Amino acid sequence: MNFDEMRQRIATGEGFIAALDQSGGSTPKALKGYGIGDDAWGSEDEMFALIHQMRQRIIESPCFGNGKVIGAILFEKTMDGTSGGKSVPARLAERGVVPFLKVDKGLEDEVAGVQLMKAMPDLEALCERARAMGVFGTKMRSVIKAANEAGIEQIVAQQFAEGRRIMGAGLVPMLEPEYDIHADDRAEGEEILRSNIARHLDNLGEGEEVMLKLSIPVKAGHYTSLIEHPRVLRVVALSGGFSTDEACAKLAKNPGMIASFSRGLLQDLRHQQSDEEFDSTLGAAIDQIHAASVR
């Protein structure tokens, strides 16, 4: 797929985006969930080698290329790795899966009810390298923990400012101002969040477009106006700690919003499973998440 074909696949594809972008801080937890304990590695390189083996197993599974997964978000080390004898972005594209890259460097401490992203001084260089490898877009995450209007305004402004840098490097940014699903005031805060996102979308110029990755809203259909905005390529949902069943049930109530799940996709996969068991388990999760995404 070339860039235009990837754009069309994301804009109109009936499927979902797999989140395979666990980074240094979240990798031990991901490996533990996969059935590999902390005693299985002695260095960071060994840890990342183990998570890459898991990701290779997912990418090469027959069900991963059945058309229901239209995109995959990668950690930088995964982008730089190989699968099926090719670079990971090239192998994904070969399987009909559009590659994205996680570009954020983690979160700042909470201030005004939000955690902003840490500075990304090398963002343009990373994006240029990713595009040369066949990556279509990026993803970057910040977190909202309270309905603090000033904090939410700041977090959305940062997402769009960094998004403009990414667009300038020729990639499509996926903006992820995640709202903590455990926040008591989430319904109120999501009103503030939608309003701020809409204002920034209206300020984008001709030819500029973004994707949005948002927590499944408290109020079903809350983000319909963003889904329909001409500057939005696609709106995807994060599972946010919900189980697969919970996330899919909630997502299905939000037409036009598709999944971009990590835990919801991977929660039942285990290192000890035979290839047949692994493929069957992954396939069942893909089918369930796909059904919730296209309803």
Side-chain angles (χ1 to χ4, degrees):
M1 291 186 288
N2 61 32
F3 191 87
D4 290 338
E5 290 169 336
M6 289 182 183
R7 184 191 177 281
Q8 185 67 18
R9 179 93 170 112
I10 293 301
T12 63
E14 293 191 350
F16 69 94
I17 296 174
L20 306 178
D21 59 328
Q22 297 88 1
S23 56
S26 56
T27 294
K29 183 178 179 180
L31 284 173
K32 185 176 181 180
Y34 186 48
I36 298 178
D38 295 352
D39 57 353
W41 69 84
S43 68
E44 187 175 86
D45 286 343
E46 292 176 353
M47 178 186 74
F48 282 123
L50 288 169
I51 198 74
H52 189 67
Q53 289 171 15
M54 181 188 81
R55 289 168 179 156
Q56 286 176 311
R57 198 177 185 191
I58 292 166
I59 292 167
E60 297 303 323
S61 176
C63 60
F64 198 75
N66 65 7
K68 295 181 179 180
V69 180
I70 63 172
I73 305 169
L74 309 174
F75 179 49
E76 184 178 353
K77 285 182 178 291
T78 309
M79 178 186 74
D80 291 335
T82 61
S83 189
K86 300 183 178 182
S87 74
V88 170
R91 180 58 173 153
L92 287 172
E94 184 177 68
R95 306 213 72 198
V97 180
V98 176
F100 291 80
L101 175 66
K102 167 186 157 63
V103 295
D104 68 82
K105 303 301 181 185
L107 302 172
E108 299 283 6
D109 292 337
E110 181 180 343
V111 177
V114 301
Q115 287 183 274
L116 295 171
M117 296 180 290
K118 292 181 177 178
M120 295 182 278
D122 302 321
L123 179 60
E124 286 84 359
L126 177 59
C127 289
E128 288 167 8
R129 187 165 69 85
R131 179 156 191 185
M133 295 183 70
V135 169
F136 170 77
T138 65
K139 190 217 78 163
M140 51 188 174
R141 170 180 174 263
S142 45
V143 177
I144 302 167
K145 293 182 175 292
N148 182 305
E149 190 161 354
I152 293 175
E153 287 180 358
Q154 190 176 15
I155 211 169
V156 174
Q158 185 193 42
Q159 284 278 346
F160 275 87
E162 302 294 22
R164 286 187 180 277
R165 294 173 66 192
I166 292 161
M167 286 186 278
L171 297 180
V172 175
M174 185 188 301
L175 314 182
E176 185 184 7
E178 174 184 349
Y179 211 116
D180 187 335
I181 62 170
H182 303 294
D184 294 334
D185 58 4
R186 187 156 71 96
E188 176 188 352
E190 285 176 344
E191 294 284 348
I192 301 169
L193 177 61
R194 182 181 62 183
S195 176
N196 275 273
I197 291 173
R199 187 176 73 253
H200 281 272
L201 288 173
D202 290 341
N203 289 331
L204 291 180
E206 188 69 30
E208 293 183 319
E209 62 183 359
V210 301
M211 295 175 64
L212 300 171
K213 182 168 180 176
L214 304 170
S215 302
I216 303 170
V218 173
K219 180 182 177 182
H222 180 69
Y223 293 124
T224 298
S225 61
L226 302 183
I227 293 168
E228 297 173 347
H229 197 285
R231 296 288 179 262
V232 175
L233 181 62
R234 205 77 191 251
V235 177
V236 305
L238 56 105
S239 49
F242 289 126
S243 69
T244 307
D245 289 346
E246 289 176 303
C248 287
K250 292 177 183 295
L251 177 62
K253 297 176 182 177
N254 290 270
M257 198 175 195
I258 66 171
S260 178
F261 293 172
S262 176
R263 174 180 170 177
L265 177 65
L266 310 177
Q267 68 176 24
D268 295 324
L269 299 179
R270 299 293 181 270
H271 172 68
Q272 297 84 358
Q273 290 169 333
S274 67
D275 287 344
E276 183 178 357
E277 291 170 331
F278 184 92
D279 295 341
S280 175
T281 302
L282 179 61
I286 287 173
D287 289 347
Q288 183 179 7
I289 297 168
H290 175 266
S293 296
V294 303
R295 284 175 69 174

